[in-house]
Amino acid sequence: MRQSFLFTKTRREAPSDETSKNAQLLIRAGYVHKEMAGVYSYLPLGLRVLNKITSIIREEMNAIGGQELVMTALQDKELWSRTDRWDDDKVDNWFKTKLASGGETGLAITHEEPLTRIMTAHVSSYRDLPIRAYQFQNKFRNEMRAKSGIMRGKEFLMKDLYSFDATQDAHDAFYTKAREAYVRVFKRAGIGEQTHVTFASGGIFSEFSEEFQTVSDAGEDLIYIDEKKGLAFNKEVLTDNVLAKFGVNRATLVEKKAIETGNIFHLGTRFSEQLGLTFKDEHGENKPVIMGSYGIGPTRLMGTIVEVLADEKGIVWPEEVAPFKMHLVSLAGSDEAVRAYADELYDDMQKAGIAVLYDDRDVRAGEKFADSDLLGMPWRVIVGKEALTSGALEVVNRATGEVEKKSRAAVLAL
Ligand code: ATP
Ligand code: MG
């Protein structure tokens, strides 16, 4: 994409009411637009990042047998009343509205209820199980706090997968596979090293759920890490009993602030019993389906990557989530020969299948470099006069700052 074509502009200042680093940088770089506190729109560059993140997650969910669907955001009051999650006394962050035709609806905070009901129309026998179904869908939560930028939106994207099994063993085996898939997602998204699988509270059907907590000072959670044993605990489960159970000594745990980027959960038969999702087993006996839920917030993940990897100059995208792999920066000015060289290199990059943002704008070199640092593409390729004489292109690695001269062929092979 030519930068002169991109309608978004970079800006020096973020809105004065925006305190989070992720939203400040993403707004300044033109990835997102702040509509109001905790409400953001995703502009072309931001959408490219989000699409990269969702592609990684989609691949990993499909690899463990996930089937993608998409459910409506509008929720049925009657259904949620059956699980006692409609009343504001029980769940305090619903957005609700009156229907013109009478009655009330709410915007989805999560989707256990509607998917469980959908499954009652499709599951009757053990032969129909297992099922793993997931979606990418906007969730709405009337969040009080709005100091974390896109990491805590009132409207945000969630990937939510739900598992339906006939036996506890089958559920447990899938849960383990889902955990491994999540580990791969965070690794591919470039924050694997900072992300800890963390024991958290589990509800009524299991002692623990597991959260994927990414260490960052911008985090709202506190976790306690046993580095030797490779274990981490959310503050809420850090009791003497739990420490004893894992043979962990409180004094050796390191306290860190962290961002909950994902959460996997044993649901047991809570929803299937309440909503009548049963199947006939091999002996013809009716049983409730055993469920699990597995959430990741792609928008929160995007904000987390910015928080964890950005430097004083701007955003640093890992290659797998970057909107473009390369930022081709032309210093042609009024030099037509350099411009022609840069244009041709841009064409060749596209032919080679390289995702490239081409800064073809007629602005000062200093401004181009500052914008390029802010935007954060993994590789910056600079085309100046030298390209015509010695054939050398200056290549800057955004993450390390390393600068190398490379030939045109070497750049195309990057
Ligand atoms: P938190 O405790 O931070 O409010 P949660 O435990 O309520 O989060 P879940 O219901 O487990 O969140 O949602 C699954 C995933 O969705 C979370 O792990 C997180 O990545 C993402 N998520 C939750 N709330 C938000 C939000 N307000 N904005 C962006 N992403 C969110
Ligand atoms: Mg959670």
Side-chain angles (χ1 to χ4, degrees), residues 23 87 89 209 283 292 326 347 360 365 399:
D87 277 350
D89 304 339
S209 70
H283 315 291
M326 288 192 194
D347 287 343
D360 58 341

PDB file of all heavy atoms in Angstrom, residues 23 87 89 209 283 292 326 347 360 365 399:
ATOM      1  N   ALA A  23      -3.168   2.733  23.799  1.00  0.00           N
ATOM      2  CA  ALA A  23      -4.080   3.576  23.012  1.00  0.00           C
ATOM      3  C   ALA A  23      -3.375   4.848  22.558  1.00  0.00           C
ATOM      4  O   ALA A  23      -3.598   5.319  21.442  1.00  0.00           O
ATOM      5  CB  ALA A  23      -5.341   3.891  23.804  1.00  0.00           C
ATOM      6  N   ASP A  87     -30.343 -10.711  35.585  1.00  0.00           N
ATOM      7  CA  ASP A  87     -30.537  -9.598  36.523  1.00  0.00           C
ATOM      8  C   ASP A  87     -29.264  -8.794  36.730  1.00  0.00           C
ATOM      9  O   ASP A  87     -28.186  -9.360  36.887  1.00  0.00           O
ATOM     10  CB  ASP A  87     -31.004 -10.125  37.888  1.00  0.00           C
ATOM     11  CG  ASP A  87     -32.502 -10.341  37.881  1.00  0.00           C
ATOM     12  OD1 ASP A  87     -33.160  -9.908  36.918  1.00  0.00           O
ATOM     13  OD2 ASP A  87     -32.991 -10.965  38.844  1.00  0.00           O
ATOM     14  N   ASP A  89     -28.383  -7.453  39.305  1.00  0.00           N
ATOM     15  CA  ASP A  89     -27.797  -7.819  40.608  1.00  0.00           C
ATOM     16  C   ASP A  89     -26.821  -8.983  40.448  1.00  0.00           C
ATOM     17  O   ASP A  89     -25.896  -9.145  41.239  1.00  0.00           O
ATOM     18  CB  ASP A  89     -28.883  -8.291  41.595  1.00  0.00           C
ATOM     19  CG  ASP A  89     -29.961  -7.250  41.774  1.00  0.00           C
ATOM     20  OD1 ASP A  89     -29.678  -6.066  41.484  1.00  0.00           O
ATOM     21  OD2 ASP A  89     -31.081  -7.620  42.194  1.00  0.00           O
ATOM     22  N   SER A 209      -9.481 -22.445  37.105  1.00  0.00           N
ATOM     23  CA  SER A 209      -9.465 -22.214  35.666  1.00  0.00           C
ATOM     24  C   SER A 209      -8.019 -21.811  35.391  1.00  0.00           C
ATOM     25  O   SER A 209      -7.205 -21.717  36.308  1.00  0.00           O
ATOM     26  CB  SER A 209     -10.426 -21.088  35.263  1.00  0.00           C
ATOM     27  OG  SER A 209      -9.938 -19.845  35.700  1.00  0.00           O
ATOM     28  N   HIS A 283     -25.781 -46.748  26.698  1.00  0.00           N
ATOM     29  CA  HIS A 283     -26.802 -47.601  27.334  1.00  0.00           C
ATOM     30  C   HIS A 283     -28.187 -46.975  27.257  1.00  0.00           C
ATOM     31  O   HIS A 283     -29.111 -47.425  27.918  1.00  0.00           O
ATOM     32  CB  HIS A 283     -26.419 -47.867  28.793  1.00  0.00           C
ATOM     33  CG  HIS A 283     -24.976 -48.235  28.959  1.00  0.00           C
ATOM     34  ND1 HIS A 283     -24.483 -49.441  28.491  1.00  0.00           N
ATOM     35  CD2 HIS A 283     -23.921 -47.560  29.488  1.00  0.00           C
ATOM     36  CE1 HIS A 283     -23.168 -49.484  28.735  1.00  0.00           C
ATOM     37  NE2 HIS A 283     -22.810 -48.350  29.332  1.00  0.00           N
ATOM     38  N   GLY A 292     -16.857 -26.813  28.327  1.00  0.00           N
ATOM     39  CA  GLY A 292     -15.739 -25.944  28.702  1.00  0.00           C
ATOM     40  C   GLY A 292     -15.828 -24.673  27.878  1.00  0.00           C
ATOM     41  O   GLY A 292     -16.482 -24.669  26.827  1.00  0.00           O
ATOM     42  N   MET A 326       7.236  -4.952   5.626  1.00  0.00           N
ATOM     43  CA  MET A 326       8.271  -3.964   5.307  1.00  0.00           C
ATOM     44  C   MET A 326       7.689  -2.569   5.191  1.00  0.00           C
ATOM     45  O   MET A 326       6.550  -2.391   4.763  1.00  0.00           O
ATOM     46  CB  MET A 326       8.937  -4.318   3.981  1.00  0.00           C
ATOM     47  CG  MET A 326       9.822  -5.521   4.108  1.00  0.00           C
ATOM     48  SD  MET A 326      10.843  -5.706   2.655  1.00  0.00           S
ATOM     49  CE  MET A 326      11.420  -7.379   2.946  1.00  0.00           C
ATOM     50  N   ASP A 347       7.017  -2.372  -6.699  1.00  0.00           N
ATOM     51  CA  ASP A 347       6.339  -3.348  -7.563  1.00  0.00           C
ATOM     52  C   ASP A 347       6.935  -4.740  -7.391  1.00  0.00           C
ATOM     53  O   ASP A 347       6.210  -5.727  -7.300  1.00  0.00           O
ATOM     54  CB  ASP A 347       6.466  -2.933  -9.050  1.00  0.00           C
ATOM     55  CG  ASP A 347       5.578  -1.742  -9.365  1.00  0.00           C
ATOM     56  OD1 ASP A 347       4.658  -1.456  -8.561  1.00  0.00           O
ATOM     57  OD2 ASP A 347       5.811  -1.091 -10.407  1.00  0.00           O
ATOM     58  N   ASP A 360       5.779   6.907  -0.045  1.00  0.00           N
ATOM     59  CA  ASP A 360       6.061   7.644  -1.280  1.00  0.00           C
ATOM     60  C   ASP A 360       5.714   9.123  -1.101  1.00  0.00           C
ATOM     61  O   ASP A 360       5.621   9.870  -2.070  1.00  0.00           O
ATOM     62  CB  ASP A 360       5.223   7.064  -2.432  1.00  0.00           C
ATOM     63  CG  ASP A 360       3.726   7.121  -2.134  1.00  0.00           C
ATOM     64  OD1 ASP A 360       3.354   7.254  -0.944  1.00  0.00           O
ATOM     65  OD2 ASP A 360       2.926   7.032  -3.083  1.00  0.00           O
ATOM     66  N   ALA A 365      12.886  13.680   5.266  1.00  0.00           N
ATOM     67  CA  ALA A 365      13.371  12.367   5.691  1.00  0.00           C
ATOM     68  C   ALA A 365      13.143  12.158   7.191  1.00  0.00           C
ATOM     69  O   ALA A 365      12.705  11.087   7.617  1.00  0.00           O
ATOM     70  CB  ALA A 365      14.854  12.225   5.361  1.00  0.00           C
ATOM     71  N   ALA A 399      12.956  -3.904  15.692  1.00  0.00           N
ATOM     72  CA  ALA A 399      13.021  -4.413  17.065  1.00  0.00           C
ATOM     73  C   ALA A 399      14.395  -4.209  17.678  1.00  0.00           C
ATOM     74  O   ALA A 399      14.515  -3.836  18.845  1.00  0.00           O
ATOM     75  CB  ALA A 399      12.637  -5.887  17.096  1.00  0.00           C
TER      76      ALA A 399
END
